[in-house]
Amino acid sequence: MIDDSQPIYLQVAAQIEEQILSGDLAPGDQVMSTTDWATFLRINPATAAKGINMLVADGLLHKRRGVGMFVSDGARTTLRHRRHDAFFVDHVDPLATEASLLGIPIDDVVARLRATAAAATNGATHNPESTASTSSVTESE
Amino acid sequence: MTSTDSAHIDTSIEVTDLHLQYGSTAALAGIDLQLRPDRIIGLLGRNGAGKTTLLSILAGHRRATSGAVRIGGLDVWETERMRDVFLIGEGEAASDSGRLRDRARFVATLRPNFDRALFDTMLTMFELDSRTRVSKLSRGQRAAAGVALALASRSPITILDEAHIGMDAQNRYALWDLMLADYAAHPRTIIISTHHVDEVANVLEDVVILEAGTVLRHAIVDDLVGSAATITGPTSRVDELVEGMHVVADRSLGATREVTVTDVDTAALRTRAGSGVRIDTAGLQDLFVHLTTAARQGDAAAQTAPQEASA
């Protein structure tokens, strides 16, 4: 869960950000405490606190004294905006470089991206509505 | 016991110009340290760097040749202070003929914060029986029992001097989990000395690296690791990037060069590096190895070329 790619406190912050982006943590939801994160990831509580406090400073989380840490309104939108630019630099540009290195036509890359994105969208929506249809197929025994 | 809650004493430790001389050998050659209170601190150093010597002086088990150790402003030799420091070393109490529960009872009489329930929890965790005689325990079990006593003492300053080394991996993991949870509930200073850095790196907040009886580095782990990087890429690009930086390790493979630097702005470095050069985080263990190795090479270089040593 913890690796050497970046300092641990940044990884703690990134894990919470992922949960906000995926919707696992919605505005108003309580976030695990510093101690919970520390024991869960087997890291020093100060390191966990540093990661969490970074998100508080960014306004993504807020503290309620004596109660705990909660996800702020608009946290997901803020994160999406912030990650938008980084996405092209971190993911798309290296993709283009690697594709050109391997002589893969950009059109092939785009086609693959479309297919993967379509599959991801189908997968993401299967929860509430399409689960019913999926299970009705398997239940027709 | 009484109302003396020694868990809330000031656990800041101040070491001033500490020397310990064994005949003509300097085990400690002038240690100056200010340890922040209530932190989990790693004391790292190669064999013979002076870790055990320093810790035994901190615990009042041994006198220094010169210099001072103050805990919360008071000399470590004050009886009141000695009660607040619990040091457990590797393979301690090997010849003890008593049972584990006798040891626990004995420690409890000296340590007002001793928590018998925590001790029993740890014994269960380590699959030990409090009726077992200490002399009948295996090396690993004895280490586990020692660590259990130390943590259950809830001493304001708890020192594990390679005390966990003989324990098996399962028990060591269980130990770190329990230690973190108990530390969060009862903050205190815990000093862990080891040269197996990887396993404890993440649980430490501060780190002190000893080399040849002196302090090579004292830092907050996040700061040290956060300001270090390993840069890999074409030799000319890497050379250009690390110009003027503090290089602690350097190796080449053909046209590729891998350099580890400390004390840099890693975010700025990533921006400057661009594509074709990889920037990785250097872990605490790598930094420990690099820094101590570089220090020895530096010493050797300083002896052969003294005029360049001030650079």
Side-chain angles (χ1 to χ4, degrees), chain B residues 40 64 139:
Chain B
I40 302 178
R139 177 170 177 255

Side-chain angles (χ1 to χ4, degrees), chain B residues 230-242 250-260 273-280:
Chain B
T230 297
I231 306 162
T232 316
T235 304
S236 59
R237 290 283 318 282
V238 173
D239 284 349
E240 184 191 322
L241 267 174
V242 303
D250 184 355
R251 51 182 199 164
S252 292
L253 183 71
T256 301
R257 197 170 167 211
E258 184 192 271
V259 168
T260 300
S275 62
V277 175
R278 224 178 65 218
I279 311 281
D280 292 308

